[in-house]
PDB file of all heavy atoms in Angstrom:
ATOM      1  N   ASN A   1       4.453 -11.531 -11.911  1.00 97.00           N
ATOM      2  CA  ASN A   1       3.398 -10.608 -11.469  1.00 97.00           C
ATOM      3  C   ASN A   1       3.362  -9.298 -12.259  1.00 97.00           C
ATOM      4  O   ASN A   1       2.622  -8.393 -11.899  1.00 97.00           O
ATOM      5  CB  ASN A   1       3.540 -10.308  -9.976  1.00 97.00           C
ATOM      6  CG  ASN A   1       4.865  -9.634  -9.634  1.00 97.00           C
ATOM      7  OD1 ASN A   1       5.670  -9.309 -10.510  1.00 97.00           O
ATOM      8  ND2 ASN A   1       5.096  -9.431  -8.349  1.00 97.00           N
ATOM      9  N   LEU A   2       4.172  -9.188 -13.328  1.00 98.00           N
ATOM     10  CA  LEU A   2       4.172  -8.020 -14.219  1.00 98.00           C
ATOM     11  C   LEU A   2       4.551  -6.728 -13.502  1.00 98.00           C
ATOM     12  O   LEU A   2       4.101  -5.649 -13.860  1.00 98.00           O
ATOM     13  CB  LEU A   2       2.822  -7.865 -14.918  1.00 98.00           C
ATOM     14  CG  LEU A   2       2.382  -9.066 -15.762  1.00 98.00           C
ATOM     15  CD1 LEU A   2       1.067  -8.754 -16.474  1.00 98.00           C
ATOM     16  CD2 LEU A   2       3.465  -9.456 -16.763  1.00 98.00           C
ATOM     17  N   GLN A   3       5.403  -6.848 -12.486  1.00 98.00           N
ATOM     18  CA  GLN A   3       5.967  -5.685 -11.815  1.00 98.00           C
ATOM     19  C   GLN A   3       7.273  -5.305 -12.497  1.00 98.00           C
ATOM     20  O   GLN A   3       8.125  -6.156 -12.754  1.00 98.00           O
ATOM     21  CB  GLN A   3       6.228  -5.982 -10.338  1.00 98.00           C
ATOM     22  CG  GLN A   3       7.052  -4.928  -9.610  1.00 98.00           C
ATOM     23  CD  GLN A   3       6.370  -3.576  -9.537  1.00 98.00           C
ATOM     24  OE1 GLN A   3       5.229  -3.484  -9.090  1.00 98.00           O
ATOM     25  NE2 GLN A   3       7.046  -2.530  -9.967  1.00 98.00           N
ATOM     26  N   LEU A   4       7.451  -4.022 -12.800  1.00 98.00           N
ATOM     27  CA  LEU A   4       8.681  -3.561 -13.421  1.00 98.00           C
ATOM     28  C   LEU A   4       9.820  -3.575 -12.411  1.00 98.00           C
ATOM     29  O   LEU A   4       9.728  -2.963 -11.347  1.00 98.00           O
ATOM     30  CB  LEU A   4       8.500  -2.149 -13.974  1.00 98.00           C
ATOM     31  CG  LEU A   4       9.666  -1.606 -14.813  1.00 98.00           C
ATOM     32  CD1 LEU A   4       9.754  -2.341 -16.149  1.00 98.00           C
ATOM     33  CD2 LEU A   4       9.500  -0.104 -15.038  1.00 98.00           C
ATOM     34  N   ARG A   5      10.893  -4.290 -12.740  1.00 97.00           N
ATOM     35  CA  ARG A   5      12.098  -4.240 -11.916  1.00 97.00           C
ATOM     36  C   ARG A   5      12.712  -2.843 -12.047  1.00 97.00           C
ATOM     37  O   ARG A   5      12.830  -2.321 -13.152  1.00 97.00           O
ATOM     38  CB  ARG A   5      13.117  -5.272 -12.393  1.00 97.00           C
ATOM     39  CG  ARG A   5      12.683  -6.720 -12.265  1.00 97.00           C
ATOM     40  CD  ARG A   5      13.786  -7.620 -12.803  1.00 97.00           C
ATOM     41  NE  ARG A   5      13.506  -9.023 -12.596  1.00 97.00           N
ATOM     42  CZ  ARG A   5      12.939  -9.830 -13.497  1.00 97.00           C
ATOM     43  NH1 ARG A   5      12.597  -9.339 -14.682  1.00 97.00           N
ATOM     44  NH2 ARG A   5      12.731 -11.091 -13.231  1.00 97.00           N
ATOM     45  N   GLN A   6      13.135  -2.287 -10.920  1.00 97.00           N
ATOM     46  CA  GLN A   6      13.727  -0.947 -10.975  1.00 97.00           C
ATOM     47  C   GLN A   6      14.491  -0.652  -9.699  1.00 97.00           C
ATOM     48  O   GLN A   6      14.148  -1.159  -8.626  1.00 97.00           O
ATOM     49  CB  GLN A   6      12.639   0.106 -11.176  1.00 97.00           C
ATOM     50  CG  GLN A   6      11.565   0.104 -10.090  1.00 97.00           C
ATOM     51  CD  GLN A   6      10.376   0.968 -10.454  1.00 97.00           C
ATOM     52  OE1 GLN A   6      10.468   2.182 -10.440  1.00 97.00           O
ATOM     53  NE2 GLN A   6       9.277   0.327 -10.806  1.00 97.00           N
ATOM     54  N   PRO A   7      15.528   0.174  -9.781  1.00 98.00           N
ATOM     55  CA  PRO A   7      16.229   0.615  -8.573  1.00 98.00           C
ATOM     56  C   PRO A   7      15.331   1.520  -7.734  1.00 98.00           C
ATOM     57  O   PRO A   7      14.383   2.129  -8.244  1.00 98.00           O
ATOM     58  CB  PRO A   7      17.439   1.380  -9.117  1.00 98.00           C
ATOM     59  CG  PRO A   7      17.542   0.999 -10.551  1.00 98.00           C
ATOM     60  CD  PRO A   7      16.153   0.681 -11.000  1.00 98.00           C
ATOM     61  N   ILE A   8      15.672   1.628  -6.474  1.00 98.00           N
ATOM     62  CA  ILE A   8      14.967   2.523  -5.549  1.00 98.00           C
ATOM     63  C   ILE A   8      15.927   3.628  -5.112  1.00 98.00           C
ATOM     64  O   ILE A   8      17.038   3.361  -4.643  1.00 98.00           O
ATOM     65  CB  ILE A   8      14.451   1.750  -4.319  1.00 98.00           C
ATOM     66  CG1 ILE A   8      13.421   0.697  -4.738  1.00 98.00           C
ATOM     67  CG2 ILE A   8      13.840   2.704  -3.297  1.00 98.00           C
ATOM     68  CD1 ILE A   8      12.186   1.253  -5.434  1.00 98.00           C
ATOM     69  N   PHE A   9      15.493   4.871  -5.298  1.00 98.00           N
ATOM     70  CA  PHE A   9      16.288   6.026  -4.896  1.00 98.00           C
ATOM     71  C   PHE A   9      16.046   6.322  -3.414  1.00 98.00           C
ATOM     72  O   PHE A   9      14.909   6.251  -2.936  1.00 98.00           O
ATOM     73  CB  PHE A   9      15.905   7.254  -5.716  1.00 98.00           C
ATOM     74  CG  PHE A   9      16.318   7.169  -7.161  1.00 98.00           C
ATOM     75  CD1 PHE A   9      15.569   6.454  -8.079  1.00 98.00           C
ATOM     76  CD2 PHE A   9      17.467   7.806  -7.610  1.00 98.00           C
ATOM     77  CE1 PHE A   9      15.946   6.370  -9.406  1.00 98.00           C
ATOM     78  CE2 PHE A   9      17.858   7.730  -8.933  1.00 98.00           C
ATOM     79  CZ  PHE A   9      17.097   7.012  -9.841  1.00 98.00           C
ATOM     80  N   LEU A  10      17.106   6.675  -2.717  1.00 98.00           N
ATOM     81  CA  LEU A  10      17.010   7.088  -1.317  1.00 98.00           C
ATOM     82  C   LEU A  10      17.504   8.520  -1.236  1.00 98.00           C
ATOM     83  O   LEU A  10      18.658   8.810  -1.583  1.00 98.00           O
ATOM     84  CB  LEU A  10      17.861   6.185  -0.425  1.00 98.00           C
ATOM     85  CG  LEU A  10      17.591   4.679  -0.547  1.00 98.00           C
ATOM     86  CD1 LEU A  10      18.635   3.887   0.208  1.00 98.00           C
ATOM     87  CD2 LEU A  10      16.199   4.346  -0.035  1.00 98.00           C
ATOM     88  N   GLY A  11      16.628   9.413  -0.802  1.00 97.00           N
ATOM     89  CA  GLY A  11      17.020  10.813  -0.793  1.00 97.00           C
ATOM     90  C   GLY A  11      16.327  11.616   0.276  1.00 97.00           C
ATOM     91  O   GLY A  11      15.303  11.204   0.838  1.00 97.00           O
ATOM     92  N   ASP A  12      16.879  12.768   0.551  1.00 93.00           N
ATOM     93  CA  ASP A  12      16.216  13.741   1.413  1.00 93.00           C
ATOM     94  C   ASP A  12      15.589  14.790   0.505  1.00 93.00           C
ATOM     95  O   ASP A  12      15.389  14.558  -0.678  1.00 93.00           O
ATOM     96  CB  ASP A  12      17.214  14.363   2.400  1.00 93.00           C
ATOM     97  CG  ASP A  12      18.415  14.990   1.696  1.00 93.00           C
ATOM     98  OD1 ASP A  12      18.364  15.159   0.459  1.00 93.00           O
ATOM     99  OD2 ASP A  12      19.404  15.315   2.387  1.00 93.00           O
ATOM    100  N   GLY A  13      15.285  15.932   1.024  1.00 84.00           N
ATOM    101  CA  GLY A  13      14.641  16.947   0.206  1.00 84.00           C
ATOM    102  C   GLY A  13      15.559  17.648  -0.771  1.00 84.00           C
ATOM    103  O   GLY A  13      15.090  18.428  -1.597  1.00 84.00           O
ATOM    104  N   ARG A  14      16.882  17.374  -0.699  1.00 91.00           N
ATOM    105  CA  ARG A  14      17.831  18.115  -1.512  1.00 91.00           C
ATOM    106  C   ARG A  14      18.605  17.255  -2.506  1.00 91.00           C
ATOM    107  O   ARG A  14      18.983  17.744  -3.559  1.00 91.00           O
ATOM    108  CB  ARG A  14      18.845  18.829  -0.594  1.00 91.00           C
ATOM    109  CG  ARG A  14      18.238  19.695   0.483  1.00 91.00           C
ATOM    110  CD  ARG A  14      17.486  20.869  -0.078  1.00 91.00           C
ATOM    111  NE  ARG A  14      18.348  21.763  -0.835  1.00 91.00           N
ATOM    112  CZ  ARG A  14      17.913  22.840  -1.477  1.00 91.00           C
ATOM    113  NH1 ARG A  14      16.615  23.131  -1.455  1.00 91.00           N
ATOM    114  NH2 ARG A  14      18.749  23.609  -2.156  1.00 91.00           N
ATOM    115  N   SER A  15      18.874  16.002  -2.165  1.00 95.00           N
ATOM    116  CA  SER A  15      19.772  15.223  -3.008  1.00 95.00           C
ATOM    117  C   SER A  15      19.493  13.730  -2.888  1.00 95.00           C
ATOM    118  O   SER A  15      18.785  13.289  -1.980  1.00 95.00           O
ATOM    119  CB  SER A  15      21.239  15.493  -2.621  1.00 95.00           C
ATOM    120  OG  SER A  15      21.479  15.036  -1.301  1.00 95.00           O
ATOM    121  N   VAL A  16      20.086  12.969  -3.820  1.00 97.00           N
ATOM    122  CA  VAL A  16      20.043  11.507  -3.761  1.00 97.00           C
ATOM    123  C   VAL A  16      21.178  11.047  -2.854  1.00 97.00           C
ATOM    124  O   VAL A  16      22.353  11.332  -3.118  1.00 97.00           O
ATOM    125  CB  VAL A  16      20.200  10.890  -5.168  1.00 97.00           C
ATOM    126  CG1 VAL A  16      20.210   9.366  -5.075  1.00 97.00           C
ATOM    127  CG2 VAL A  16      19.078  11.362  -6.086  1.00 97.00           C
ATOM    128  N   VAL A  17      20.838  10.343  -1.795  1.00 97.00           N
ATOM    129  CA  VAL A  17      21.844   9.847  -0.857  1.00 97.00           C
ATOM    130  C   VAL A  17      22.449   8.542  -1.357  1.00 97.00           C
ATOM    131  O   VAL A  17      23.655   8.333  -1.307  1.00 97.00           O
ATOM    132  CB  VAL A  17      21.231   9.670   0.546  1.00 97.00           C
ATOM    133  CG1 VAL A  17      22.230   9.029   1.503  1.00 97.00           C
ATOM    134  CG2 VAL A  17      20.749  11.009   1.094  1.00 97.00           C
ATOM    135  N   SER A  18      21.596   7.650  -1.874  1.00 97.00           N
ATOM    136  CA  SER A  18      22.072   6.369  -2.372  1.00 97.00           C
ATOM    137  C   SER A  18      20.992   5.765  -3.263  1.00 97.00           C
ATOM    138  O   SER A  18      19.875   6.294  -3.369  1.00 97.00           O
ATOM    139  CB  SER A  18      22.398   5.423  -1.213  1.00 97.00           C
ATOM    140  OG  SER A  18      22.962   4.219  -1.694  1.00 97.00           O
ATOM    141  N   THR A  19      21.344   4.665  -3.908  1.00 97.00           N
ATOM    142  CA  THR A  19      20.401   3.944  -4.749  1.00 97.00           C
ATOM    143  C   THR A  19      20.514   2.455  -4.447  1.00 97.00           C
ATOM    144  O   THR A  19      21.618   1.902  -4.407  1.00 97.00           O
ATOM    145  CB  THR A  19      20.692   4.178  -6.246  1.00 97.00           C
ATOM    146  OG1 THR A  19      20.737   5.585  -6.503  1.00 97.00           O
ATOM    147  CG2 THR A  19      19.613   3.550  -7.114  1.00 97.00           C
ATOM    148  N   SER A  20      19.385   1.804  -4.211  1.00 98.00           N
ATOM    149  CA  SER A  20      19.355   0.362  -3.955  1.00 98.00           C
ATOM    150  C   SER A  20      18.893  -0.378  -5.205  1.00 98.00           C
ATOM    151  O   SER A  20      18.139   0.174  -6.008  1.00 98.00           O
ATOM    152  CB  SER A  20      18.413   0.061  -2.779  1.00 98.00           C
ATOM    153  OG  SER A  20      18.951   0.542  -1.568  1.00 98.00           O
ATOM    154  N   PRO A  21      19.336  -1.642  -5.420  1.00 98.00           N
ATOM    155  CA  PRO A  21      19.982  -2.521  -4.439  1.00 98.00           C
ATOM    156  C   PRO A  21      21.408  -2.108  -4.115  1.00 98.00           C
ATOM    157  O   PRO A  21      22.125  -1.586  -4.957  1.00 98.00           O
ATOM    158  CB  PRO A  21      19.934  -3.893  -5.124  1.00 98.00           C
ATOM    159  CG  PRO A  21      19.841  -3.596  -6.584  1.00 98.00           C
ATOM    160  CD  PRO A  21      19.048  -2.331  -6.703  1.00 98.00           C
ATOM    161  N   GLN A  22      21.775  -2.371  -2.853  1.00 97.00           N
ATOM    162  CA  GLN A  22      23.095  -2.001  -2.370  1.00 97.00           C
ATOM    163  C   GLN A  22      24.124  -3.075  -2.717  1.00 97.00           C
ATOM    164  O   GLN A  22      23.789  -4.233  -2.994  1.00 97.00           O
ATOM    165  CB  GLN A  22      23.043  -1.819  -0.850  1.00 97.00           C
ATOM    166  CG  GLN A  22      22.155  -0.687  -0.392  1.00 97.00           C
ATOM    167  CD  GLN A  22      22.677   0.680  -0.792  1.00 97.00           C
ATOM    168  OE1 GLN A  22      23.871   0.951  -0.712  1.00 97.00           O
ATOM    169  NE2 GLN A  22      21.765   1.567  -1.214  1.00 97.00           N
ATOM    170  N   GLU A  23      25.364  -2.674  -2.694  1.00 94.00           N
ATOM    171  CA  GLU A  23      26.461  -3.593  -2.939  1.00 94.00           C
ATOM    172  C   GLU A  23      26.438  -4.738  -1.931  1.00 94.00           C
ATOM    173  O   GLU A  23      26.274  -4.523  -0.735  1.00 94.00           O
ATOM    174  CB  GLU A  23      27.781  -2.833  -2.844  1.00 94.00           C
ATOM    175  CG  GLU A  23      29.010  -3.673  -3.095  1.00 94.00           C
ATOM    176  CD  GLU A  23      30.293  -2.884  -2.939  1.00 94.00           C
ATOM    177  OE1 GLU A  23      30.198  -1.649  -2.708  1.00 94.00           O
ATOM    178  OE2 GLU A  23      31.364  -3.491  -3.034  1.00 94.00           O
ATOM    179  N   GLY A  24      26.578  -5.950  -2.429  1.00 93.00           N
ATOM    180  CA  GLY A  24      26.625  -7.117  -1.545  1.00 93.00           C
ATOM    181  C   GLY A  24      25.321  -7.865  -1.406  1.00 93.00           C
ATOM    182  O   GLY A  24      25.305  -8.981  -0.875  1.00 93.00           O
ATOM    183  N   PHE A  25      24.214  -7.274  -1.879  1.00 95.00           N
ATOM    184  CA  PHE A  25      22.930  -7.966  -1.831  1.00 95.00           C
ATOM    185  C   PHE A  25      22.717  -8.642  -3.187  1.00 95.00           C
ATOM    186  O   PHE A  25      22.307  -8.006  -4.165  1.00 95.00           O
ATOM    187  CB  PHE A  25      21.797  -6.991  -1.504  1.00 95.00           C
ATOM    188  CG  PHE A  25      21.861  -6.470  -0.099  1.00 95.00           C
ATOM    189  CD1 PHE A  25      22.627  -5.353   0.209  1.00 95.00           C
ATOM    190  CD2 PHE A  25      21.182  -7.103   0.921  1.00 95.00           C
ATOM    191  CE1 PHE A  25      22.702  -4.868   1.502  1.00 95.00           C
ATOM    192  CE2 PHE A  25      21.249  -6.634   2.227  1.00 95.00           C
ATOM    193  CZ  PHE A  25      22.008  -5.513   2.518  1.00 95.00           C
ATOM    194  N   LEU A  26      22.993  -9.928  -3.241  1.00 94.00           N
ATOM    195  CA  LEU A  26      23.061 -10.662  -4.498  1.00 94.00           C
ATOM    196  C   LEU A  26      21.793 -11.463  -4.756  1.00 94.00           C
ATOM    197  O   LEU A  26      21.019 -11.768  -3.840  1.00 94.00           O
ATOM    198  CB  LEU A  26      24.280 -11.591  -4.489  1.00 94.00           C
ATOM    199  CG  LEU A  26      25.632 -10.916  -4.189  1.00 94.00           C
ATOM    200  CD1 LEU A  26      26.745 -11.953  -4.162  1.00 94.00           C
ATOM    201  CD2 LEU A  26      25.922  -9.821  -5.196  1.00 94.00           C
TER     202      LEU A  26
END
């Protein structure tokens, strides 16, 4: 479908809390 694979950032207004995909999701 020509969608760019990319990580997703999870953050609040100040910082990056985590980045997905998360560990264990294979």
Side-chain angles (χ1 to χ4, degrees):
N1 61 4
L2 302 183
Q3 169 64 53
L4 187 70
R5 296 179 174 95
Q6 58 191 287
I8 297 300
F9 291 80
L10 306 171
D12 55 13
R14 307 295 298 177
S15 65
V16 178
V17 175
S18 185
T19 306
S20 291
Q22 296 293 319
E23 181 182 356
F25 291 87
L26 306 178

